[in-house]
Amino acid sequence: MNEKNVKYLTTGEFAKLCKVNKQTLFYYDQIGLLSPVFKNEKGYRFYSINQIELFYVIDLLKDLDMSLHDIQQYTQNKSPESFLSLMYQKKDEIVKKRQEIEMKEKLIDTKIALMEEATQLDFLQITLEHFPDATLYLSRNIENSTDDEFMEVLSEFIGELSELQLDTGFPIGGITKREHVLKGEYSKYSHLYIEQPHPKDGYPYFRAVKGDFLIGYHIGEDKTIHHTYQKLLAEMERLELTLGDYVFEEYIYDTVVKNQKEQYVTKIMMQVTKNK
């Protein structure tokens, strides 16, 4: 402590510079993570200014979810090579986290846009609209699946969306073929789907045929959806339209935003062509 031109810091001073409490420094000393340069005969701890950078690195690694045990392992085996290796590793982790955060931000933006759009809709109105090509990612065929098989495909589909980063924030919907709709089998889906506004290369997709769609909204539980289908089919006949190859269903309001099944809203999009 009597060395010339050397400034030592008390525990309180060092803690203040590092913006932590003294107990943190006591604990770091106890586990051998960051110990004072020396202790005097009265037991007072003194730190060197040079240790501030080490504390900052320890604090950085903690913020990056590195355990104190692993940080301790590094501090006990320090070298330029191990430091570089650790920094490259943490940089890679940060890049991955940033990509995940950016993807989640896009999901949230999509859900905000869809919900804001939904609040402006008149669910009692049936409309005829023209859709451009829509790229959809499909599940395996579920046309004649049992309840257990359906759950297996649904679980597999959700897993694929997560693993392949294909969850775009759009709702998961169901596709029903024309032949089943005409038989009154309105919920006999052939596939599950999710829209891909910006499809990635290298994945099999189903490109929905662009064209005209008759759109209506079912309010209530799935078991009463046949009433809405009947209204849509009647409107289709009134407008002299013919049912196309597919009908698409997806939730507008579901358990995420409504507590009662009676308040759920399902969007039904019937592909149609004009009678000649």
Side-chain angles (χ1 to χ4, degrees):
M1 193 170 172
N2 295 322
E3 295 179 42
K4 293 181 179 180
N5 301 322
V6 176
K7 172 60 178 173
Y8 292 105
L9 305 171
T10 66
T11 301
E13 290 171 333
F14 193 77
K16 185 176 181 180
L17 284 174
C18 295
K19 298 179 181 179
V20 293
N21 58 54
K22 292 192 291 185
Q23 294 302 320
T24 298
L25 296 180
F26 292 153
Y27 181 64
Y28 284 2
D29 182 20
Q30 179 183 342
I31 65 174
L33 183 59
L34 176 62
S35 296
V37 174
F38 69 89
K39 300 174 186 177
N40 67 12
E41 63 278 1
K42 293 183 180 181
Y44 293 126
R45 297 169 166 84
F46 291 90
Y47 293 83
S48 165
I49 292 176
N50 295 332
Q51 290 180 291
I52 294 175
E53 182 62 27
L54 176 56
F55 178 87
Y56 287 162
V57 170
I58 291 171
D59 206 43
L60 171 64
L61 295 174
K62 276 179 57 185
D63 286 344
L64 297 175
D65 299 325
M66 191 170 177
S67 70
L68 289 179
H69 174 75
D70 289 342
I71 297 173
Q72 183 187 41
Q73 293 299 306
Y74 164 73
T75 60
Q76 292 178 353
N77 299 278
K78 294 193 290 282
S79 72
E81 292 77 17
S82 62
F83 177 76
L84 276 175
S85 176
L86 182 58
M87 290 298 102
Y88 278 124
Q89 175 189 336
K90 291 303 172 184
K91 181 180 178 180
D92 288 343
E93 291 175 5
I94 289 173
V95 169
K96 184 177 179 181
K97 285 183 179 179
R98 182 170 64 246
Q99 291 171 342
E100 291 174 351
I101 290 173
E102 289 174 350
M103 184 177 70
K104 289 176 181 177
E105 183 181 13
K106 291 178 182 178
L107 292 181
I108 291 173
D109 285 342
T110 298
K111 291 184 181 298
I112 288 173
L114 290 173
M115 194 53 57
E116 288 182 341
E117 179 185 356
T119 60
Q120 305 300 316
L121 295 173
D122 180 356
F123 296 138
L124 300 179
Q125 187 178 11
I126 295 175
T127 59
L128 180 62
E129 299 180 26
H130 182 80
F131 284 0
D133 283 351
T135 303
L136 310 177
Y137 184 74
L138 299 189
S139 71
R140 286 193 287 121
N141 190 289
I142 54 173
E143 198 167 340
N144 297 303
S145 61
T146 63
D147 289 344
D148 288 343
E149 289 169 342
F150 173 79
M151 288 304 300
E152 180 183 341
V153 173
L154 176 60
S155 177
E156 177 187 275
F157 187 62
I158 292 173
E160 289 174 1
L161 296 182
S162 175
E163 182 180 348
L164 303 177
Q165 297 184 348
L166 295 175
D167 185 352
T168 56
F170 284 82
I172 293 175
I175 301 175
T176 308
K177 292 179 179 178
R178 178 179 187 274
E179 60 196 75
H180 296 303
V181 173
L182 294 179
K183 292 178 183 178
E185 300 171 331
Y186 305 123
S187 298
K188 192 169 185 178
Y189 304 131
S190 62
H191 296 85
L192 302 174
Y193 73 88
I194 187 169
E195 188 172 343
Q196 302 290 314
H198 306 288
K200 301 178 182 179
D201 293 333
Y203 295 97
Y205 294 102
F206 171 86
R207 185 172 294 277
V209 179
K210 67 179 180 180
D212 296 324
F213 286 80
L214 193 64
I215 300 174
Y217 301 90
H218 172 67
I219 303 172
E221 298 183 62
D222 292 341
K223 64 183 180 181
T224 61
I225 202 168
H226 60 280
H227 296 306
T228 304
Y229 267 93
Q230 289 165 4
K231 290 179 184 177
L232 281 164
L233 290 170
E235 181 67 4
M236 185 176 65
E237 185 175 351
R238 187 187 74 81
L239 295 174
E240 297 183 345
L241 301 172
T242 299
L243 184 64
D245 293 331
Y246 302 104
V247 174
F248 302 85
E249 268 186 34
E250 57 190 46
Y251 275 120
I252 299 295
Y253 292 162
D254 58 8
T255 184
V256 174
V257 297
K258 293 291 185 178
N259 289 322
Q260 305 298 325
K261 291 182 178 179
E262 294 77 12
Q263 298 175 325
Y264 290 179
V265 178
T266 305
K267 184 176 184 179
I268 303 172
M269 296 162 280
M270 288 185 162
Q271 192 175 39
V272 294
T273 56
K274 294 181 180 180
N275 294 340
K276 296 180 179 180

